[in-house]
Amino acid sequence: MKTKHRISDHLQNATDMAQGLSLTQAMNEAARCHLCHDAPCSQSCPAGTDPATFIRKLRLRNIKGAIRTVKGNNVLSGICALVCPTEQLCQKGCVAAGMDKAIDIGGIQRFLVEHGWEMKFNPLEKEEKKSGKLAVIGSGPAGLSCAAEVAMAGHDVTIFESMEKAGGVLRYGVPSFRLHGDFLDRELKDLKELGIKFNCGKTITRAGAEGLLKKGYNAVFFAPGTWKTVELNLPGIDLKNVCNARDFLAEMRSADQTKIAQMVKGKNVAVYGGGSVAMDVATTAKSLGANKVYIIYRRSMKEMPAARHDLDMALANYVIFRPMSIVTELMGEKGKLISLKGIETDWKKPGETSSANLVPVEGTEFNLKVDVFVTALGYQAEPASKEICAGVSFSKKGLVETRNDGVTTANPLIFAGGDIVRGPALVVEAVADGKKAGQKIIELFQKEHPGKKVAKRGTR
Amino acid sequence: MAKIRDLSINICGVKFPNPFLLSSSPVSNTAEMVARAFDKGWGGVAYKTIAHDRTRIIHPSPRMAPFNYENKSLVALQNVEQTSDRPMKDNWADIRWLKKHYPKQVLIVSIMGFSLDEWIDLARMGEDNGADMLELNFSCPHMTVEGAGMKVGQAMELIEKFTSAVKKTVNIPVIAKLTSNVTDITIPALYAQKGGADAITAINTVRALTEIGLDDFVPKPNIHGKGAMSGMSGPAIKPIGLKCVTELAQCDGLKIPIIGCGGAETWVDIAEYLMCGAAAIQVTTGIIHYGQRIVEDMAEGLSDWMDAKKFNNLQEIVGKSLVKTVGTDAFDLSRQGIAQFDLDKCIGCGQCYIVCQDAGGQGLGWDSEKRRPVPDDKQCLSCMICGMVCPVDAMVSYKYKPGKQEILPPVMG
Ligand SMILES: Cc1cc2nc3c(=O)[nH]c(=O)nc-3n(C[C@H](O)[C@H](O)[C@H](O)COP(=O)(O)OP(=O)(O)OC[C@H]3O[C@@H](n4cnc5c(N)ncnc54)[C@H](O)[C@@H]3O)c2cc1C
Ligand SMILES: Cc1cc2nc3c(=O)[nH]c(=O)nc-3n(C[C@H](O)[C@H](O)[C@H](O)COP(=O)(O)O)c2cc1C
């Protein structure tokens, strides 16, 4: 894997990932930790990651034990270390911030996972073989974590994935400067060692969940994510070089980036939206050699939903921010985008920062000379997802309706998790859902095949 | 700009411009290195121990290994270095050159003989080549030559014999450098004094084993598959050095001055050695760790502290802590106290709570809502470990509880 630059946020190119901490750097960071009683960091991860314990283990030179803790709680802990908005999660309540700054928990976590790979130590353990058979639809973080949970209990697990490769958003969304494909493959290798079967290039279609149950699977975990983009009704939206973030980022993760590089290099690019995905697109465009890259966002910088780190990354790469602005028209010449028209916004009622409270301000109209326009306005459930699972109820937005546990559906043999339940959310939340659903499925299999004791899942 | 005070001191009639000396080791191996150190402000040198050319010296390779603690490197240093491996004539030439170009700095020549005539020979050559003082190395704990170094420092009659032979040979003051690897360091010191020694240097490295390889089971430094007990130096041995210097300074029969050595890196360490009774302090590992530049901070720091404490000269500091260093039976046990918490400063890590529960008197509760310790004065043992683990300055302090405590008669146990 190419990991060149260290520490600096400024990208050298679009696909290289920053190097992780060295042993010494990780030990230095661990030495700053206060090893708190009742540590806040360990209470704030949706997936139950336990930094207080793995940092203590590292500090006391129990490195294998630390890796066991990291991986044992979260089978995608390497990936989460890279993509989690840690400042909103584990690092949020960090007591060390009271002295200077929060511990770089993500950095230590990544170090431990990579160190385990270096030492060829995979703590994930499989129990004796059992008779349950699980089908997982979707190989995003939710599907992967559920598959691992159930496979570790000794059951047979097959993942069905429509794309060519496994990973979901991790493979076709998150830019590789944050999560390189090699890193993803390496963490998937740990899962493959559990015997999980990957059936890629296989889309499950209408009534497919029932079909799988009929074919002999004892349960289905449904985790197709939310892949439909929120479209914009704007004059000029059909012009050439206008696209959405999903396609832009997926192209970046494809084998050949020459086409997209050609579209962007030396050109002016405008990205519409203020979330992490918008930042990812803008930073990527900049790293591909774009001239000016704008982020246009209707509310203020303060309301931007992007994770701090993603925002900083865009800033460090000279992305230009135009908050409190909306786009009104895309202008073209010979079918090709040449500029956009926009107008600034203000709050109708001061102090209230919802988008419904926004108004365009007369006299603030502006023109930007842009060659590429990328919408990054969010994702929704694919309407087709509904048709896959009979007996499961869906909301108006096309999301699965579950019981309070967040994973049990109206069909007792079908469980769901990740974005298809929550709407666009976080990787670590998808992991948490998969883990929880996995535990429910193990219980279900146990009920169906009593006699054998279900041991609490262990790590080596 | 810092104004450095006069830090000079007199030892055995020799004027030291300041108490900061390079000790005999790689940091004092050549005239070129020592000259640079003098330029930076070091007041003198105990030049790297010279042995007789008759025995060829070869250093084991590698010869040092660090002792690390958590993320901190060089808490101590383990070494198996021998005496100087340079030809004697090169060392004498260097010593002559140094004396000529740096007449004000004190030049102590360290020697080690492997027989009586070698001691006499080396002593004479040392004086002839311009040494201000001689230091007899009775203390290296890892000589590859049988019966040398520390072996002498542990054999009292040999100390006396070699010291007295040297004293009869030269007119310059003679220092005996002693090892701490004995039960009571005052005994070899008294023998050295009997032999005529004019001063004592204490201590040399402490015989130790700092780390052992987990893959190869070899103690470090790993000399191609073999390790050995050898000399440990650096901050970890300062407490042993302070103990030895204090014992020497408090020894009634010992009338000669003491030069401290062992683990000094900062002016604080220097001040402590002075208070224990050392008149000057030698340094090696501090320089191995940070370079010669540390002397600037020693001088500035010591000078400021002397101003703050209104000391007129260095001599006033020497032995300052001795009257307050007593036997434990002299404590006033009627005076007791408790740990006191300034909770406004607390950052909520709870380490105090953990250690009080597990190693103290269970005198702290925990408010998990507020993330704050809840002191229970009645249970507090005043052991103060809460304060030791607290990351915040001055959040935990010791508070004396006035009023005489009733003293119960001692219980046999
Ligand atoms: C560009 C982008 C960047 C993001 N960056 C971050 C980030 O930095 N940090 C973070 O925490 N979150 C981030 N997120 C959100 C996060 O990626 C998602 O919350 C998470 O991936 C949801 O996981 P999932 O398993 O539910 O779905 P997905 O990751 O979407 O995976 C679903 C998988 O199911 C497959 N599938 C769908 N339908 C079928 C079918 N019918 N048959 C077979 N397979 C099917 C899909 O091809 C896909 O591979 C980002 C999202 C995007 C879009
Ligand atoms: C590598 C090394 C070599 C040393 N060689 C000698 C020596 O030749 N003669 C000697 O008297 N002491 C020698 N010492 C001991 C030092 O002079 C000093 O007494 C000891 O290291 C303790 O001081 P420090 O903690 O400041 O290093 C050596 C120490 C080290 C680390």
Side-chain angles (χ1 to χ4, degrees), chain A residues 83 138 140-142 161-163 168-169 178 202-204 223-225 227 249 277 379 388 418-419 425-427 430:
Chain A
V83 303
E161 167 58 55
S162 28
M163 303 296 280
V169 174
R178 200 124 47 76
K202 169 80 186 157
T203 302
I204 303 299
W227 281 83
L249 292 171
V277 173
Y379 293 80
I388 296 172
D419 284 1
L426 294 175
V427 171

PDB file of all heavy atoms in Angstrom, chain A residues 83 138 140-142 161-163 168-169 178 202-204 223-225 227 249 277 379 388 418-419 425-427 430, ligand 1:
ATOM      1  N   VAL A  83     -11.932   6.179   9.196  1.00  0.00           N
ATOM      2  CA  VAL A  83     -13.071   6.938   8.676  1.00  0.00           C
ATOM      3  C   VAL A  83     -13.998   7.501   9.750  1.00  0.00           C
ATOM      4  O   VAL A  83     -14.889   8.273   9.431  1.00  0.00           O
ATOM      5  CB  VAL A  83     -13.908   6.091   7.676  1.00  0.00           C
ATOM      6  CG1 VAL A  83     -13.044   5.595   6.530  1.00  0.00           C
ATOM      7  CG2 VAL A  83     -14.608   4.944   8.368  1.00  0.00           C
ATOM      8  N   GLY A 138     -25.555  -7.472   0.832  1.00  0.00           N
ATOM      9  CA  GLY A 138     -24.780  -6.232   0.932  1.00  0.00           C
ATOM     10  C   GLY A 138     -23.506  -6.436   1.721  1.00  0.00           C
ATOM     11  O   GLY A 138     -23.519  -7.015   2.807  1.00  0.00           O
ATOM     12  N   GLY A 140     -21.386  -3.981   2.713  1.00  0.00           N
ATOM     13  CA  GLY A 140     -20.898  -2.770   3.377  1.00  0.00           C
ATOM     14  C   GLY A 140     -20.531  -3.118   4.814  1.00  0.00           C
ATOM     15  O   GLY A 140     -20.566  -4.280   5.212  1.00  0.00           O
ATOM     16  N   PRO A 141     -20.180  -2.110   5.606  1.00  0.00           N
ATOM     17  CA  PRO A 141     -19.758  -2.384   6.984  1.00  0.00           C
ATOM     18  C   PRO A 141     -20.807  -3.141   7.795  1.00  0.00           C
ATOM     19  O   PRO A 141     -20.445  -3.988   8.618  1.00  0.00           O
ATOM     20  CB  PRO A 141     -19.497  -0.994   7.568  1.00  0.00           C
ATOM     21  CG  PRO A 141     -20.015  -0.016   6.580  1.00  0.00           C
ATOM     22  CD  PRO A 141     -20.054  -0.690   5.257  1.00  0.00           C
ATOM     23  N   ALA A 142     -22.096  -2.867   7.556  1.00  0.00           N
ATOM     24  CA  ALA A 142     -23.131  -3.581   8.314  1.00  0.00           C
ATOM     25  C   ALA A 142     -23.087  -5.064   7.968  1.00  0.00           C
ATOM     26  O   ALA A 142     -23.029  -5.920   8.853  1.00  0.00           O
ATOM     27  CB  ALA A 142     -24.508  -2.987   8.011  1.00  0.00           C
ATOM     28  N   GLU A 161     -23.372  -9.652  -3.000  1.00  0.00           N
ATOM     29  CA  GLU A 161     -23.015  -8.249  -3.253  1.00  0.00           C
ATOM     30  C   GLU A 161     -23.140  -7.973  -4.755  1.00  0.00           C
ATOM     31  O   GLU A 161     -22.591  -8.709  -5.570  1.00  0.00           O
ATOM     32  CB  GLU A 161     -21.564  -7.994  -2.782  1.00  0.00           C
ATOM     33  CG  GLU A 161     -20.953  -6.709  -3.250  1.00  0.00           C
ATOM     34  CD  GLU A 161     -21.738  -5.463  -2.842  1.00  0.00           C
ATOM     35  OE1 GLU A 161     -21.982  -5.303  -1.641  1.00  0.00           O
ATOM     36  OE2 GLU A 161     -22.139  -4.690  -3.736  1.00  0.00           O
ATOM     37  N   SER A 162     -23.871  -6.901  -5.090  1.00  0.00           N
ATOM     38  CA  SER A 162     -24.059  -6.649  -6.525  1.00  0.00           C
ATOM     39  C   SER A 162     -22.792  -6.134  -7.212  1.00  0.00           C
ATOM     40  O   SER A 162     -22.563  -6.406  -8.378  1.00  0.00           O
ATOM     41  CB  SER A 162     -25.214  -5.691  -6.797  1.00  0.00           C
ATOM     42  OG  SER A 162     -25.427  -4.826  -5.744  1.00  0.00           O
ATOM     43  N   MET A 163     -21.965  -5.413  -6.462  1.00  0.00           N
ATOM     44  CA  MET A 163     -20.777  -4.848  -7.101  1.00  0.00           C
ATOM     45  C   MET A 163     -19.712  -5.935  -7.305  1.00  0.00           C
ATOM     46  O   MET A 163     -19.788  -7.019  -6.754  1.00  0.00           O
ATOM     47  CB  MET A 163     -20.199  -3.715  -6.256  1.00  0.00           C
ATOM     48  CG  MET A 163     -21.161  -2.585  -5.966  1.00  0.00           C
ATOM     49  SD  MET A 163     -21.694  -1.692  -7.432  1.00  0.00           S
ATOM     50  CE  MET A 163     -20.270  -0.640  -7.674  1.00  0.00           C
ATOM     51  N   GLY A 168     -18.940  -2.060  -0.076  1.00  0.00           N
ATOM     52  CA  GLY A 168     -19.969  -1.018  -0.086  1.00  0.00           C
ATOM     53  C   GLY A 168     -19.346   0.354  -0.220  1.00  0.00           C
ATOM     54  O   GLY A 168     -18.419   0.549  -1.019  1.00  0.00           O
ATOM     55  N   VAL A 169     -19.822   1.285   0.603  1.00  0.00           N
ATOM     56  CA  VAL A 169     -19.293   2.654   0.535  1.00  0.00           C
ATOM     57  C   VAL A 169     -17.783   2.660   0.793  1.00  0.00           C
ATOM     58  O   VAL A 169     -17.055   3.497   0.253  1.00  0.00           O
ATOM     59  CB  VAL A 169     -20.013   3.560   1.560  1.00  0.00           C
ATOM     60  CG1 VAL A 169     -19.363   4.936   1.599  1.00  0.00           C
ATOM     61  CG2 VAL A 169     -21.484   3.683   1.218  1.00  0.00           C
ATOM     62  N   ARG A 178      -8.214   8.499   2.171  1.00  0.00           N
ATOM     63  CA  ARG A 178      -8.618   8.245   3.555  1.00  0.00           C
ATOM     64  C   ARG A 178      -8.587   6.754   3.865  1.00  0.00           C
ATOM     65  O   ARG A 178      -8.143   6.340   4.935  1.00  0.00           O
ATOM     66  CB  ARG A 178     -10.004   8.821   3.818  1.00  0.00           C
ATOM     67  CG  ARG A 178     -10.323   9.041   5.258  1.00  0.00           C
ATOM     68  CD  ARG A 178     -10.719  10.475   5.588  1.00  0.00           C
ATOM     69  NE  ARG A 178     -11.685  10.985   4.637  1.00  0.00           N
ATOM     70  CZ  ARG A 178     -12.968  10.643   4.655  1.00  0.00           C
ATOM     71  NH1 ARG A 178     -13.436   9.815   5.537  1.00  0.00           N
ATOM     72  NH2 ARG A 178     -13.788  11.158   3.768  1.00  0.00           N
ATOM     73  N   LYS A 202     -23.389 -10.258  -7.654  1.00  0.00           N
ATOM     74  CA  LYS A 202     -24.670 -10.965  -7.548  1.00  0.00           C
ATOM     75  C   LYS A 202     -25.679 -10.038  -6.888  1.00  0.00           C
ATOM     76  O   LYS A 202     -25.600  -9.766  -5.686  1.00  0.00           O
ATOM     77  CB  LYS A 202     -24.464 -12.236  -6.711  1.00  0.00           C
ATOM     78  CG  LYS A 202     -25.718 -12.939  -6.294  1.00  0.00           C
ATOM     79  CD  LYS A 202     -26.291 -13.797  -7.400  1.00  0.00           C
ATOM     80  CE  LYS A 202     -27.645 -14.375  -6.964  1.00  0.00           C
ATOM     81  NZ  LYS A 202     -28.476 -14.740  -8.113  1.00  0.00           N
ATOM     82  N   THR A 203     -26.611  -9.495  -7.702  1.00  0.00           N
ATOM     83  CA  THR A 203     -27.636  -8.622  -7.152  1.00  0.00           C
ATOM     84  C   THR A 203     -28.841  -9.451  -6.737  1.00  0.00           C
ATOM     85  O   THR A 203     -29.317 -10.292  -7.494  1.00  0.00           O
ATOM     86  CB  THR A 203     -28.072  -7.587  -8.210  1.00  0.00           C
ATOM     87  OG1 THR A 203     -26.913  -6.847  -8.611  1.00  0.00           O
ATOM     88  CG2 THR A 203     -29.116  -6.636  -7.656  1.00  0.00           C
ATOM     89  N   ILE A 204     -29.300  -9.222  -5.537  1.00  0.00           N
ATOM     90  CA  ILE A 204     -30.519  -9.888  -5.079  1.00  0.00           C
ATOM     91  C   ILE A 204     -31.685  -9.017  -5.526  1.00  0.00           C
ATOM     92  O   ILE A 204     -31.713  -7.808  -5.249  1.00  0.00           O
ATOM     93  CB  ILE A 204     -30.504 -10.045  -3.539  1.00  0.00           C
ATOM     94  CG1 ILE A 204     -29.258 -10.808  -3.082  1.00  0.00           C
ATOM     95  CG2 ILE A 204     -31.781 -10.727  -3.064  1.00  0.00           C
ATOM     96  CD1 ILE A 204     -29.127 -12.216  -3.613  1.00  0.00           C
ATOM     97  N   ALA A 223     -28.703  -5.572   4.287  1.00  0.00           N
ATOM     98  CA  ALA A 223     -27.928  -4.334   4.495  1.00  0.00           C
ATOM     99  C   ALA A 223     -27.468  -3.747   3.165  1.00  0.00           C
ATOM    100  O   ALA A 223     -26.281  -3.696   2.860  1.00  0.00           O
ATOM    101  CB  ALA A 223     -26.722  -4.624   5.387  1.00  0.00           C
ATOM    102  N   PRO A 224     -28.440  -3.314   2.347  1.00  0.00           N
ATOM    103  CA  PRO A 224     -28.077  -2.805   1.014  1.00  0.00           C
ATOM    104  C   PRO A 224     -27.637  -1.341   1.014  1.00  0.00           C
ATOM    105  O   PRO A 224     -27.259  -0.810  -0.031  1.00  0.00           O
ATOM    106  CB  PRO A 224     -29.375  -2.979   0.222  1.00  0.00           C
ATOM    107  CG  PRO A 224     -30.444  -2.754   1.244  1.00  0.00           C
ATOM    108  CD  PRO A 224     -29.901  -3.267   2.549  1.00  0.00           C
ATOM    109  N   GLY A 225     -27.705  -0.688   2.161  1.00  0.00           N
ATOM    110  CA  GLY A 225     -27.302   0.721   2.204  1.00  0.00           C
ATOM    111  C   GLY A 225     -28.301   1.616   1.484  1.00  0.00           C
ATOM    112  O   GLY A 225     -29.417   1.198   1.155  1.00  0.00           O
ATOM    113  N   TRP A 227     -28.294   4.092  -1.746  1.00  0.00           N
ATOM    114  CA  TRP A 227     -27.431   4.486  -2.860  1.00  0.00           C
ATOM    115  C   TRP A 227     -28.068   5.424  -3.867  1.00  0.00           C
ATOM    116  O   TRP A 227     -27.437   5.794  -4.853  1.00  0.00           O
ATOM    117  CB  TRP A 227     -26.916   3.224  -3.579  1.00  0.00           C
ATOM    118  CG  TRP A 227     -25.792   2.618  -2.812  1.00  0.00           C
ATOM    119  CD1 TRP A 227     -25.906   1.773  -1.751  1.00  0.00           C
ATOM    120  CD2 TRP A 227     -24.396   2.849  -3.016  1.00  0.00           C
ATOM    121  NE1 TRP A 227     -24.668   1.453  -1.268  1.00  0.00           N
ATOM    122  CE2 TRP A 227     -23.714   2.095  -2.042  1.00  0.00           C
ATOM    123  CE3 TRP A 227     -23.656   3.608  -3.915  1.00  0.00           C
ATOM    124  CZ2 TRP A 227     -22.323   2.084  -1.943  1.00  0.00           C
ATOM    125  CZ3 TRP A 227     -22.275   3.591  -3.829  1.00  0.00           C
ATOM    126  CH2 TRP A 227     -21.621   2.842  -2.842  1.00  0.00           C
ATOM    127  N   LEU A 249     -17.193   9.828  -6.997  1.00  0.00           N
ATOM    128  CA  LEU A 249     -16.310   9.094  -6.074  1.00  0.00           C
ATOM    129  C   LEU A 249     -16.134   7.643  -6.504  1.00  0.00           C
ATOM    130  O   LEU A 249     -15.049   7.068  -6.368  1.00  0.00           O
ATOM    131  CB  LEU A 249     -16.852   9.176  -4.641  1.00  0.00           C
ATOM    132  CG  LEU A 249     -16.787  10.574  -4.018  1.00  0.00           C
ATOM    133  CD1 LEU A 249     -17.538  10.612  -2.696  1.00  0.00           C
ATOM    134  CD2 LEU A 249     -15.329  11.020  -3.815  1.00  0.00           C
ATOM    135  N   VAL A 277     -19.261  14.155   2.411  1.00  0.00           N
ATOM    136  CA  VAL A 277     -19.140  13.693   1.027  1.00  0.00           C
ATOM    137  C   VAL A 277     -18.731  14.856   0.118  1.00  0.00           C
ATOM    138  O   VAL A 277     -17.865  14.714  -0.752  1.00  0.00           O
ATOM    139  CB  VAL A 277     -20.457  13.041   0.553  1.00  0.00           C
ATOM    140  CG1 VAL A 277     -20.392  12.711  -0.922  1.00  0.00           C
ATOM    141  CG2 VAL A 277     -20.762  11.804   1.394  1.00  0.00           C
ATOM    142  N   TYR A 379     -27.996  11.047   0.264  1.00  0.00           N
ATOM    143  CA  TYR A 379     -28.384   9.760  -0.311  1.00  0.00           C
ATOM    144  C   TYR A 379     -29.728   9.319   0.271  1.00  0.00           C
ATOM    145  O   TYR A 379     -30.092   9.711   1.380  1.00  0.00           O
ATOM    146  CB  TYR A 379     -27.329   8.701   0.027  1.00  0.00           C
ATOM    147  CG  TYR A 379     -25.982   8.932  -0.637  1.00  0.00           C
ATOM    148  CD1 TYR A 379     -25.078   9.856  -0.112  1.00  0.00           C
ATOM    149  CD2 TYR A 379     -25.620   8.206  -1.766  1.00  0.00           C
ATOM    150  CE1 TYR A 379     -23.846  10.067  -0.714  1.00  0.00           C
ATOM    151  CE2 TYR A 379     -24.383   8.405  -2.366  1.00  0.00           C
ATOM    152  CZ  TYR A 379     -23.495   9.343  -1.832  1.00  0.00           C
ATOM    153  OH  TYR A 379     -22.277   9.537  -2.421  1.00  0.00           O
ATOM    154  N   ILE A 388     -37.257  -6.410  -2.235  1.00  0.00           N
ATOM    155  CA  ILE A 388     -36.450  -7.608  -1.990  1.00  0.00           C
ATOM    156  C   ILE A 388     -36.991  -8.440  -0.834  1.00  0.00           C
ATOM    157  O   ILE A 388     -36.938  -9.654  -0.844  1.00  0.00           O
ATOM    158  CB  ILE A 388     -34.978  -7.199  -1.737  1.00  0.00           C
ATOM    159  CG1 ILE A 388     -34.409  -6.543  -2.997  1.00  0.00           C
ATOM    160  CG2 ILE A 388     -34.126  -8.402  -1.342  1.00  0.00           C
ATOM    161  CD1 ILE A 388     -33.049  -5.918  -2.821  1.00  0.00           C
ATOM    162  N   GLY A 418     -27.625  -0.879   9.323  1.00  0.00           N
ATOM    163  CA  GLY A 418     -26.860   0.074   8.519  1.00  0.00           C
ATOM    164  C   GLY A 418     -27.762   1.149   7.957  1.00  0.00           C
ATOM    165  O   GLY A 418     -28.846   1.412   8.485  1.00  0.00           O
ATOM    166  N   ASP A 419     -27.327   1.752   6.865  1.00  0.00           N
ATOM    167  CA  ASP A 419     -28.032   2.903   6.310  1.00  0.00           C
ATOM    168  C   ASP A 419     -29.464   2.588   5.907  1.00  0.00           C
ATOM    169  O   ASP A 419     -30.321   3.467   5.930  1.00  0.00           O
ATOM    170  CB  ASP A 419     -27.265   3.446   5.090  1.00  0.00           C
ATOM    171  CG  ASP A 419     -26.024   4.227   5.505  1.00  0.00           C
ATOM    172  OD1 ASP A 419     -25.764   4.318   6.729  1.00  0.00           O
ATOM    173  OD2 ASP A 419     -25.307   4.733   4.615  1.00  0.00           O
ATOM    174  N   ALA A 425     -25.887   7.263   7.581  1.00  0.00           N
ATOM    175  CA  ALA A 425     -25.336   7.375   8.933  1.00  0.00           C
ATOM    176  C   ALA A 425     -23.836   7.144   8.873  1.00  0.00           C
ATOM    177  O   ALA A 425     -23.195   7.563   7.906  1.00  0.00           O
ATOM    178  CB  ALA A 425     -26.022   6.368   9.841  1.00  0.00           C
ATOM    179  N   LEU A 426     -23.299   6.480   9.869  1.00  0.00           N
ATOM    180  CA  LEU A 426     -21.844   6.310   9.948  1.00  0.00           C
ATOM    181  C   LEU A 426     -21.437   4.852   9.786  1.00  0.00           C
ATOM    182  O   LEU A 426     -22.207   3.936  10.099  1.00  0.00           O
ATOM    183  CB  LEU A 426     -21.324   6.790  11.296  1.00  0.00           C
ATOM    184  CG  LEU A 426     -21.451   8.285  11.586  1.00  0.00           C
ATOM    185  CD1 LEU A 426     -21.005   8.572  13.013  1.00  0.00           C
ATOM    186  CD2 LEU A 426     -20.623   9.088  10.588  1.00  0.00           C
ATOM    187  N   VAL A 427     -20.211   4.655   9.356  1.00  0.00           N
ATOM    188  CA  VAL A 427     -19.654   3.315   9.229  1.00  0.00           C
ATOM    189  C   VAL A 427     -19.747   2.577  10.563  1.00  0.00           C
ATOM    190  O   VAL A 427     -20.196   1.438  10.645  1.00  0.00           O
ATOM    191  CB  VAL A 427     -18.180   3.385   8.758  1.00  0.00           C
ATOM    192  CG1 VAL A 427     -17.529   2.014   8.830  1.00  0.00           C
ATOM    193  CG2 VAL A 427     -18.109   3.953   7.348  1.00  0.00           C
ATOM    194  N   ALA A 430     -23.083   1.322  11.330  1.00  0.00           N
ATOM    195  CA  ALA A 430     -23.389   0.144  10.525  1.00  0.00           C
ATOM    196  C   ALA A 430     -22.732  -1.088  11.148  1.00  0.00           C
ATOM    197  O   ALA A 430     -23.332  -2.157  11.253  1.00  0.00           O
ATOM    198  CB  ALA A 430     -22.904   0.346   9.084  1.00  0.00           C
TER     199      ALA A 430
HETATM  200  C1  LIG C   1     -18.952   9.133  -0.126  1.00  0.00           C
HETATM  201  C2  LIG C   1     -19.271   8.721   1.257  1.00  0.00           C
HETATM  202  C3  LIG C   1     -18.310   8.934   2.226  1.00  0.00           C
HETATM  203  C4  LIG C   1     -18.578   8.533   3.517  1.00  0.00           C
HETATM  204  N1  LIG C   1     -17.606   8.746   4.441  1.00  0.00           N
HETATM  205  C5  LIG C   1     -17.832   8.315   5.684  1.00  0.00           C
HETATM  206  C6  LIG C   1     -16.844   8.469   6.668  1.00  0.00           C
HETATM  207  O1  LIG C   1     -15.762   9.017   6.426  1.00  0.00           O
HETATM  208  N2  LIG C   1     -17.076   8.002   7.913  1.00  0.00           N
HETATM  209  C7  LIG C   1     -18.239   7.386   8.238  1.00  0.00           C
HETATM  210  O2  LIG C   1     -18.397   6.945   9.369  1.00  0.00           O
HETATM  211  N3  LIG C   1     -19.218   7.252   7.333  1.00  0.00           N
HETATM  212  C8  LIG C   1     -19.036   7.698   6.071  1.00  0.00           C
HETATM  213  N4  LIG C   1     -20.036   7.550   5.161  1.00  0.00           N
HETATM  214  C9  LIG C   1     -21.267   6.842   5.540  1.00  0.00           C
HETATM  215  C10 LIG C   1     -21.032   5.335   5.591  1.00  0.00           C
HETATM  216  O3  LIG C   1     -20.249   4.951   4.518  1.00  0.00           O
HETATM  217  C11 LIG C   1     -22.321   4.543   5.597  1.00  0.00           C
HETATM  218  O4  LIG C   1     -23.066   4.932   6.717  1.00  0.00           O
HETATM  219  C12 LIG C   1     -22.064   3.051   5.673  1.00  0.00           C
HETATM  220  O5  LIG C   1     -21.261   2.636   4.617  1.00  0.00           O
HETATM  221  C13 LIG C   1     -23.348   2.251   5.668  1.00  0.00           C
HETATM  222  O6  LIG C   1     -23.038   0.909   5.613  1.00  0.00           O
HETATM  223  P1  LIG C   1     -24.033  -0.187   5.037  1.00  0.00           P
HETATM  224  O7  LIG C   1     -23.389  -1.476   5.251  1.00  0.00           O
HETATM  225  O8  LIG C   1     -25.355   0.040   5.623  1.00  0.00           O
HETATM  226  O9  LIG C   1     -24.191   0.155   3.500  1.00  0.00           O
HETATM  227  P2  LIG C   1     -23.197   0.323   2.270  1.00  0.00           P
HETATM  228  O10 LIG C   1     -21.835   0.653   2.680  1.00  0.00           O
HETATM  229  O11 LIG C   1     -23.887   1.262   1.405  1.00  0.00           O
HETATM  230  O12 LIG C   1     -23.152  -1.103   1.626  1.00  0.00           O
HETATM  231  C14 LIG C   1     -24.278  -1.686   1.025  1.00  0.00           C
HETATM  232  C15 LIG C   1     -23.837  -2.700   0.019  1.00  0.00           C
HETATM  233  O13 LIG C   1     -24.941  -3.429  -0.420  1.00  0.00           O
HETATM  234  C16 LIG C   1     -24.859  -3.642  -1.805  1.00  0.00           C
HETATM  235  N5  LIG C   1     -26.201  -3.869  -2.313  1.00  0.00           N
HETATM  236  C17 LIG C   1     -27.222  -2.972  -2.359  1.00  0.00           C
HETATM  237  N6  LIG C   1     -28.319  -3.555  -2.868  1.00  0.00           N
HETATM  238  C18 LIG C   1     -27.987  -4.842  -3.134  1.00  0.00           C
HETATM  239  C19 LIG C   1     -28.686  -5.932  -3.700  1.00  0.00           C
HETATM  240  N7  LIG C   1     -29.953  -5.823  -4.034  1.00  0.00           N
HETATM  241  N8  LIG C   1     -28.031  -7.107  -3.870  1.00  0.00           N
HETATM  242  C20 LIG C   1     -26.735  -7.240  -3.515  1.00  0.00           C
HETATM  243  N9  LIG C   1     -26.042  -6.217  -2.981  1.00  0.00           N
HETATM  244  C21 LIG C   1     -26.653  -5.034  -2.798  1.00  0.00           C
HETATM  245  C22 LIG C   1     -24.246  -2.370  -2.304  1.00  0.00           C
HETATM  246  O14 LIG C   1     -23.628  -2.561  -3.566  1.00  0.00           O
HETATM  247  C23 LIG C   1     -23.222  -2.083  -1.216  1.00  0.00           C
HETATM  248  O15 LIG C   1     -22.004  -2.717  -1.513  1.00  0.00           O
HETATM  249  C24 LIG C   1     -19.814   7.941   3.845  1.00  0.00           C
HETATM  250  C25 LIG C   1     -20.765   7.752   2.876  1.00  0.00           C
HETATM  251  C26 LIG C   1     -20.510   8.137   1.596  1.00  0.00           C
HETATM  252  C27 LIG C   1     -21.546   7.911   0.588  1.00  0.00           C
END
